[in-house]
Amino acid sequence: MKRRVAILISGRGSNMAALIEAATADDFPAEIAVVISNKADAGGLAKAAASGVATVIIESKPFGRDRAAFEAVLQSALDQNKIDLICLGGFMRLFTAEFVQRWHGRMLNIHPSLLPSFPGLDPHGQALNAGVKISGATVHFVIPETDAGPIVMQGAVAVADDDTPDTLAARILEIEHRIYPDALRLLAGGRIRLEGDLCKTTDGAGPAGTLISPAMRLRDV
Ligand code: GAR
């Protein structure tokens, strides 16, 4: 039985689109049952509808700081859709610890940095300011702390000297669209397990290669 997934968005929904596309494969162990946005003008809503996925809008603004009241409405939408797993895709609203606990081990997020480096806002600017030579994206389980939690999968890119936040974001976004569907495949297929604060891959994460940056093309003699 395919696991039923809700994707929560606040904006353009490109990760959402990558997940929807991946889930069209017959052998994908999850189906995208609903896309829920906390903003009525989120660009991703039209993309989801065009893909034939049900959409729900639950505006969070009227709830102000009453997170629990917003989450009660959200939870009933999740219940109605018989949701097993949640994927956050650029969902820009914090949850209460109670909601996070309720979905412990069943809610994923993606963040465009190699966590635990550069959580929060402007991760690309943070990476460039720090002068790192490699950055990337992380899919992780959600815990009460923002952009933290057991890491499921990461993908890396080299950072170029002339990168701007926008050019770096564009390269990392391509990685996001690859690793989020793969991470969901692992979770929905029962191929990962939580060991305390860590996530382990049941069938082993084979070394797929090495990324060294900057690349040395000439060797001094
Ligand atoms: C993505 O880059 C995602 O990693 C980031 O928001 C963007 C949403 O884009 N999430 C965070 O920064 C979470 N802290 P999308 O709507 O096109 O998927």
Side-chain angles (χ1 to χ4, degrees), residues 69-88:
F70 168 75
E71 288 165 2
V73 179
L74 174 61
Q75 183 62 50
S76 73
L78 297 168
D79 290 342
Q80 271 167 29
N81 285 281
K82 298 188 168 47
I83 294 305
D84 301 305
L85 304 170
I86 296 175
C87 289
L88 305 181

Side-chain angles (χ1 to χ4, degrees), residues 156-180:
V157 301
V159 179
D161 284 347
D162 59 357
D163 262 326
T164 66
D166 284 348
T167 60
L168 183 57
R171 276 207 315 291
I172 290 178
L173 195 62
E174 288 178 29
I175 298 287
E176 294 185 49
H177 297 165
R178 286 171 56 187
I179 65 172
Y180 212 172

Side-chain angles (χ1 to χ4, degrees), residues 11-16 89-90 92 109-112 120 123 147 173 176-177:
R12 75 187 156 183
S14 71
N15 278 290
M16 172 211 77
M92 296 303 181
N109 182 43
I110 189 159
H111 182 75
D147 298 327
L173 195 62
E176 294 185 49
H177 297 165

